[in-house]
């Protein structure tokens, strides 16, 4: 696949409202000064100069910080001030009442699940039932995905019961097909994290090793890329019946943190080599533009022409490039190279600004074939909620691969970052602002998918057209007549009164990968990606703004997703009040969304970012120095 991509058009950046306000204040100040006498002005200038000299001698950083801000680097400090802008380590204390509220939400969820469905993979809180991913029985998805959150929150009684279930009842002897990626990030990742946080309880390492050994046959393919499914009892990799011969890029590139840590713990290099080989294949398959299509051929080990996006099927490929580099303490430069290459490609081709307010978002590229088979790429202004992981990831990456020194200030200063580090930091801050804006809905929760306005959408003739972004299908009656082209295509499925809205409008606590059998759909419940980025950005800046946003999201979840009978549920339309619930509590609600919310309000000494890397399901794994010599470059 070598088709050239459309290059991103440069657009004028809208002036920041904050800058305009600052300019106004400055002007008013000048007018006031103009009314003073000449002597007074001279004296004032002298006093000011003396104060400047004294202050500079006392603390020169006052001036370097001011300069950083003056040249625009700190333009993101729109809310309250960061805790400090000097040197690490910076200590951020816990907000105990808010943290306790998150713990109460976890208990409300867990106790309902435990009463109705203990041990089942999934939980349906309205019908008070559990279900399993295969007819051969489950493998404790919800229990294993949640147990490290209990350890973190200090829920001893709940933890003890969950541990007993894992020790006594968890079995992988299931003659059914499980999704390789989901089983790895949720179950293997959960076991490994519990092993570390329990200070080495062998029950978790034994189970993790058994599970990994059952998964390993997925790598027995012509290319070495893993099959998307695994029959755990038979130990056989299974192809995807819906997408014959294909596997998602995110799925093959989001197994590495888990298998590498297991290799480190056990000394078994095979785990490491298999997942590293997948990365080697991906590196060799690099497309000229440096982006990843969402599907690869399992036989060929090459990309196949398919959408390019940072949402479903693409997202965690980019996430794990950075995290593999972090996991081994920066000892594998190949991953920082791949990560920087990918972030440059993202900036060149996918990062966009909305037309009215200049909101930063990432678009998708959709391949289209003409009659002669020629492929061209259509830039589509659609962003999955999943993409919101990228905001925090870019900010974290800027302070690591984009840092000029081992550690940077909190928040980082302009001069501490490389040019690409400054670029990534800025985009991360702006993208997070966009993700927070997408919570501006009737419920205060963000939808699964938003579309951004573009000049060619033909909506400008209508005064009721949304300014920057909209949710396809969220409103029941579309207020203006649809005509042609893009507009028609994207609004045609607005729901009629009484109809079920499309999945774009949902809040799923956050992704319905349908694990059962070989389906893998794109529908997506309360979603972790924005709170994940809020947690990272708070740790990296100390800015109270991020905690405030996290608290607002949490309160919206409490209001709209909490069921008084126990548990929390997905809502089907974030722009509709009163809400309609779907009978599903996603496992990542307890493993990811509530964990990141807890950490957002906890003391920064808990799981510090220079000691831990979080897998894509929010299972913390320790950073280590590898003993394996890889030679992968
Ligand atoms: C999680 O299962 C993981 O974060 C995955 O990589 C994508 N997002 C879902 C939850 O939204």
């Amino acid at each position: 696949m070598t088709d050239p991509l459309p290059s991103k058009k440069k657009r004028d950046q809208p002036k920041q409202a904050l800058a305009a306000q600052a300019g106004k204040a400055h002007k008013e100040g000048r007018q006031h000064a103009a009314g003073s006498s000449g002597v007074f002005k001279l004296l004032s200038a002298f006093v000011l100069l003396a104060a400047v000299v004294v202050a500079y001698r006392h603390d020169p950083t006052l001036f370097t910080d001011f300069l950083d801000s003056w040249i625009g680097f700190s333009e993101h400090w729109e809310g309250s001030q960061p805790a400090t802008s000097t040197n690490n380590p910076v200590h951020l204390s816990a907000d105990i009442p808010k943290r306790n509220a998150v713990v109460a939400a976890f208990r409300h969820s867990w106790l309902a699940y435990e009463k109705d469905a203990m041990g089942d993979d999934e939980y349906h809180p309205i019908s008070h039932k559990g279900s399993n991913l295969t007819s051969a029985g489950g493998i404790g998805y919800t229990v294993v995905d949640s147990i490290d959150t209990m350890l973190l929150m200090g829920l001893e009684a709940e933890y003890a019961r969950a541990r007993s279930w894992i020790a006594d009842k968890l079995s992988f002897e299931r003659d059914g097909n499980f999704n390789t990626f989901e089983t790895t990030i949720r179950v293997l990742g959960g076991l490994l994290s519990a092993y570390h946080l329990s200070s080495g309880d062998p029950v978790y390492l034994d189970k993790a090793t058994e599970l990994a050994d059952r998964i390993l046959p997925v790598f027995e393919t012509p290319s070495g890329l893993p099959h998307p499914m695994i029959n755990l009892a038979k130990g056989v990799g299974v192809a995807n019946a819906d997408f014959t011969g294909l596997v998602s890029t995110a799925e093959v590139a989001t197994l590495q943190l888990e298998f590498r840590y297991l290799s480190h713990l056990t000394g078994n290099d095979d785990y490491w080599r298999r997942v590293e080989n997948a990365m080697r294949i991906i590196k060799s398959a690099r497309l000229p533009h440096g982006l990843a299509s969402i599907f690869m051929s399992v036989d060929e080990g090459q990309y196949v022409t398919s959408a390019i996006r940072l949402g479903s099927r693409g997202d965690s490929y980019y996430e794990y490039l950075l995290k593999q580099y972090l996991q081994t303490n920066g000892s594998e430069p190949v991953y920082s190279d791949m990560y920087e290459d990918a972030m440059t490609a993202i900036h060149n081709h996918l990062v966009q600004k909305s037309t009215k307010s200049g909101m930063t978002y990432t678009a998708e590229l959709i391949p289209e074939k003409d009659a002669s088979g020629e492929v061209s790429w259509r830039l589509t202004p659609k962003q999955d909620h999943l993409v919101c992981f990228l905001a925090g990831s870019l900010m974290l990456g800027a302070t690591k691969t984009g840092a000029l020194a081992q550690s940077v200030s909190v928040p980082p200063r302009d001069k501490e970052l490389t040019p690409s580090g400054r670029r990534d930091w800025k985009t991360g801050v702006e993208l997070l602002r966009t993700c927070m804006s997408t919570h501006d809905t009737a419920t205060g929760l963000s939808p699964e998918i938003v579309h951004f306005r573009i000049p060619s959408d033909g909506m400008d003739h209508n005064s009721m057209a949304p300014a920057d972004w909209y949710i396809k299908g969220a409103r029941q009656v579309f207020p203006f007549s649809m005509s042609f082209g893009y507009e028609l295509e994207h609004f045609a499925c607005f729901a009629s009164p009484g109809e079920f809205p499309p999945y774009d409008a949902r809040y799923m606590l956050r992704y319905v990968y349908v694990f059962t059998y070989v389906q893998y759909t794109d529908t997506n419940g309360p979603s972790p990606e924005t709170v994940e980025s809020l947690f990272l950005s708070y740790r990296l800046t100390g800015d109270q703004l991020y905690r405030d946003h996290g608290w607002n999201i949490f309160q919206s979840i409490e209001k709209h997703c909490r069921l008084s009978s126990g548990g929390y549920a997905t809502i089907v339309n974030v722009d509709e009040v009163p809400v309609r619930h779907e009978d599903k509590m996603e496992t990542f609600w307890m493993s990811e969304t509530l964990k990141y919310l807890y950490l957002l309000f906890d003391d920064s000494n808990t799981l510090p970012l220079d000691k831990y890397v979080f897998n894509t399901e929010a299972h913390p794994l320790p950073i280590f120095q590898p003993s394996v010599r890889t030679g992968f470059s």
Side-chain angles (χ1 to χ4, degrees):
M1 202 177 83
T2 55
D3 323 290
L5 294 180
S7 55
K8 199 177 62 131
K9 286 203 189 89
K10 289 218 157 124
R11 297 208 176 98
D12 288 337
Q13 308 285 319
K15 292 211 167 63
Q16 298 288 325
L18 200 69
Q21 275 173 20
K24 190 167 164 241
H26 188 61
K27 200 166 153 196
E28 282 165 1
R30 276 211 318 267
Q31 282 163 354
H32 178 72
S36 305
S37 73
V39 175
F40 180 74
K41 273 199 267 185
L42 204 65
L43 268 174
S44 305
F46 179 75
V47 172
L48 188 67
L49 187 67
V52 166
V53 171
V54 171
Y56 183 78
R57 290 175 69 108
H58 176 70
D59 182 3
T61 62
L62 286 173
F63 294 86
T64 51
D65 288 348
F66 173 75
L67 271 177
D68 283 352
S69 148
W70 184 258
I71 60 172
F73 187 68
S74 302
E75 66 170 10
H76 49 278
W77 299 122
E78 286 181 356
S80 47
Q81 288 303 302
T84 176
S85 60
T86 55
N87 289 320
N88 284 335
V90 169
H91 178 248
L92 304 167
S93 3
D95 182 331
I96 293 167
K98 293 194 170 77
R99 192 185 68 182
N100 289 350
V102 176
V103 176
F106 182 92
R107 290 190 78 241
H108 185 74
S109 309
W110 171 260
L111 294 176
Y113 163 78
E114 193 178 17
K115 174 169 68 70
D116 295 336
M118 182 64 182
D120 289 347
D121 286 332
E122 298 191 307
Y123 180 43
H124 310 284
I126 297 173
S127 56
H128 300 281
K129 288 200 171 98
S131 63
N132 287 316
L133 296 171
T134 74
S135 53
I139 53 171
Y141 261 72
T142 297
V143 181
V144 183
D145 218 5
S146 311
I147 197 163
D148 64 353
T149 312
M150 296 178 202
L151 274 163
L152 207 54
M153 292 180 170
L155 295 172
E156 289 173 21
E158 290 82 357
Y159 170 75
R161 298 194 296 271
R163 185 201 173 279
S164 300
W165 188 89
I166 289 172
D168 303 334
K169 305 231 169 93
L170 174 60
S171 168
F172 298 124
E173 187 60 27
R174 303 283 186 225
D175 187 2
N177 298 335
F178 293 84
N179 181 287
T180 306
F181 156 77
E182 296 289 357
T183 304
T184 299
I185 66 166
R186 301 190 196 211
V187 186
L188 184 58
L191 289 167
L192 289 170
S193 172
Y195 175 73
H196 175 77
L197 295 179
S198 65
S199 306
D201 184 335
V203 85
Y204 302 117
L205 188 57
D206 289 350
K207 293 285 183 193
T209 308
E210 181 194 341
L211 177 60
D213 289 343
R214 288 175 184 265
I215 294 175
L216 272 188
V218 294
F219 293 97
E220 283 155 24
T221 62
S223 70
L225 287 182
H227 279 300
M229 310 288 290
I230 177 73
N231 182 308
L232 288 175
K234 293 182 178 150
V236 181
V238 178
N240 190 331
D242 290 344
F243 301 102
T244 316
L246 303 183
V247 66
S248 304
T249 306
E251 291 192 330
V252 299
T254 316
L255 311 166
Q256 284 69 15
L257 294 188
E258 297 80 0
F259 277 87
R260 284 156 41 114
Y261 181 48
L262 182 63
S263 171
H264 175 72
L265 290 174
T266 59
N268 181 349
D269 286 2
D270 198 30
Y271 302 132
W272 192 295
R273 309 263 177 231
R274 301 292 187 127
V275 294
E276 183 181 80
N277 189 42
M279 295 310 298
R280 184 180 281 113
I281 294 165
I282 291 174
K283 183 163 183 272
S284 317
R286 183 187 184 280
L287 297 170
H289 43 68
L291 293 167
S293 280
I294 58 168
F295 283 114
M296 300 189 77
S297 154
V298 180
D299 286 350
E300 314 291 329
Q302 299 290 338
Y303 289 105
V304 297
T305 302
S306 50
I308 292 175
R309 63 174 178 236
L310 307 176
S312 64
R313 302 178 195 272
D315 49 2
S316 46
Y317 157 65
Y318 300 97
E319 178 184 353
Y320 269 34
L321 289 180
L322 175 64
K323 290 186 171 175
Q324 285 174 88
Y325 179 68
L326 301 183
Q327 182 181 36
T328 51
N329 207 17
S331 63
E332 298 169 285
V334 61
Y335 295 113
S336 57
D337 291 349
M338 290 175 77
Y339 174 73
E340 291 211 10
D341 182 40
M343 294 307 113
T344 298
I346 286 172
H347 279 87
N348 287 342
H349 299 289
L350 302 182
V351 174
Q352 304 288 320
K353 297 275 183 191
S354 70
T355 42
K356 287 265 181 337
S357 316
M359 293 166 75
T360 297
Y361 70 96
T362 64
E364 299 185 358
L365 283 162
I366 311 297
E368 292 175 331
K369 268 193 190 153
D370 65 16
S372 66
E374 191 77 16
V375 175
S376 61
W377 293 87
R378 181 162 54 91
L379 196 64
T380 306
K382 161 182 175 279
Q383 182 173 284
D384 294 355
H385 178 88
L386 287 166
V387 176
C388 292
F389 89 88
L390 185 68
S393 182
L394 278 167
M395 292 171 77
L396 180 64
T399 66
K400 301 291 182 186
T401 69
L404 290 165
Q406 182 99 44
S407 71
V408 298
S409 307
V410 175
R413 293 180 189 171
D414 190 20
K415 61 175 178 287
E416 295 172 333
L417 304 185
T418 63
S420 60
R422 292 201 288 272
R423 175 200 65 192
D424 292 357
W425 179 269
K426 187 164 181 292
T427 304
V429 168
E430 291 174 358
L431 184 59
L432 183 50
R433 193 185 295 149
T434 300
C435 290
M436 294 185 305
S437 305
T438 63
H439 289 73
D440 186 14
T441 60
T443 57
L445 295 169
S446 68
E448 273 303 297
I449 295 174
V450 293
H451 285 81
F452 288 83
R453 295 283 316 279
I454 52 173
S456 60
D457 61 20
M459 294 165 65
D460 271 337
H461 63 277
N462 192 295
S463 58
M464 295 180 76
D468 288 291
W469 61 270
Y470 55 93
I471 310 165
K472 188 169 76 172
R475 300 264 158 82
Q476 293 203 322
V477 181
F478 193 54
F480 55 88
S481 69
M482 295 175 292
S483 47
F484 41 77
Y486 182 83
E487 185 186 349
L488 176 64
E489 177 192 340
H490 285 271
F491 286 98
C493 69
F494 264 66
S496 310
E499 266 181 21
F500 205 71
Y503 78 81
D504 294 40
R506 290 168 177 235
Y507 186 64
M508 301 171 44
L509 307 168
R510 216 219 78 70
Y511 217 39
V512 182
Y513 277 116
V514 177
F515 316 106
T516 322
Y517 315 118
V518 287
Q519 297 155 358
Y520 176 44
T521 70
D522 275 338
T523 58
N524 284 324
S527 314
E529 283 74 23
T530 296
V531 288
E532 169 182 357
S533 282
L534 289 172
F535 157 67
L536 288 171
S537 58
Y538 182 66
R539 286 284 178 95
L540 295 170
T541 65
D543 191 337
Q544 178 66 24
L545 172 78
Y546 297 122
R547 273 189 169 172
D548 293 345
H549 275 291
W551 182 243
N552 288 341
I553 292 173
F554 178 70
Q555 286 181 304
S556 295
I557 295 171
E558 287 291 292
K559 188 164 173 196
H560 298 294
C561 303
R562 187 179 200 272
L563 303 175
S564 53
S565 58
Y568 290 73
T570 295
I571 58 175
V572 301
N573 184 350
V574 295
D575 230 2
E576 178 186 274
V577 177
V579 297
R580 280 180 281 168
H581 289 120
E582 190 183 358
D583 192 9
K584 183 99 191 264
M585 185 172 91
E586 299 283 346
T587 80
F588 49 72
W589 162 242
M590 287 193 284
S591 97
E592 204 168 354
T593 311
L594 285 173
K595 188 186 285 130
Y596 281 130
L597 280 168
Y598 177 86
L599 288 169
L600 175 64
F601 298 114
D602 199 12
D603 187 292
S604 59
N605 288 334
T606 307
L607 302 178
L609 294 179
D610 58 344
K611 302 250 178 327
Y612 287 89
V613 63
F614 291 81
N615 91 335
T616 192
E617 188 75 359
H619 295 302
L621 303 173
I623 287 170
F624 60 87
Q625 206 63 37
S627 52
V628 170
R629 286 278 150 261
T630 75
F632 173 41
S633 59

